[in-house]
Amino acid sequence: MYFENTGIEGVTAELTLLDEIMNRHGLVRAEQWDYERVSYDKKIVIKEGTYYLRIFGFTPDGDVGSGHAVMHLKKPVLGKHYYPHGVEYGEDEVFPDYLVKSCTKTLLEVQEDLKGYDLNA
């Protein structure tokens, strides 16, 4: 499930700043990165299963490992984890309303913290 109109998609900011802001809201990069891409994940375990709120980012510079990359954020997504296959984001997935509301609140808080740091603005 993709979240529309969050104000996050298209934001461009430095990696170290993003790490700080995302961590503040429970979104962790951990080892979810490669040369040009990152993924910030918030793991949510509820009675209906295990879900991940995820914000992807990429850098055209291809230098995430330096820690100084300028990242471009993509549309946030919510997915359900299925062991051992991984996370599914499909249109057929059903997400509890309270989970969607909680994720929306988190995304609005992240967007608020990103204000003033968007290098595109």
Side-chain angles (χ1 to χ4, degrees), residues 19-33:
D19 285 349
E20 180 183 320
I21 289 173
M22 297 298 184
N23 280 327
R24 195 177 311 147
H25 298 284
L27 290 144
V28 180
R29 178 165 55 105
E31 299 300 318
Q32 303 301 322
W33 63 273

Side-chain angles (χ1 to χ4, degrees), residues 19-102:
D19 285 349
E20 180 183 320
I21 289 173
M22 297 298 184
N23 280 327
R24 195 177 311 147
H25 298 284
L27 290 144
V28 180
R29 178 165 55 105
E31 299 300 318
Q32 303 301 322
W33 63 273
D34 65 18
Y35 191 61
E36 61 189 21
R37 296 175 295 191
V38 297
S39 172
Y40 292 99
D41 294 339
K42 182 174 185 176
K43 183 178 180 180
I44 304 159
V45 180
I46 55 177
K47 66 180 179 179
E48 292 86 353
T50 300
Y51 297 84
Y52 286 89
L53 174 61
R54 188 166 276 173
I55 301 174
F56 296 103
F58 71 96
T59 180
D61 302 332
D63 201 10
V64 170
S66 75
H68 301 290
V70 173
M71 304 305 300
H72 300 252
L73 297 181
K74 295 181 160 189
K75 193 180 298 183
V77 64
L78 178 62
K80 183 172 183 178
H81 183 263
Y82 292 95
Y83 179 83
H85 304 290
V87 180
E88 295 290 332
Y89 310 104
E91 298 285 327
D92 297 333
E93 296 298 325
V94 176
F95 300 100
D97 287 339
Y98 70 94
L99 173 63
V100 174
K101 287 178 184 173
S102 174

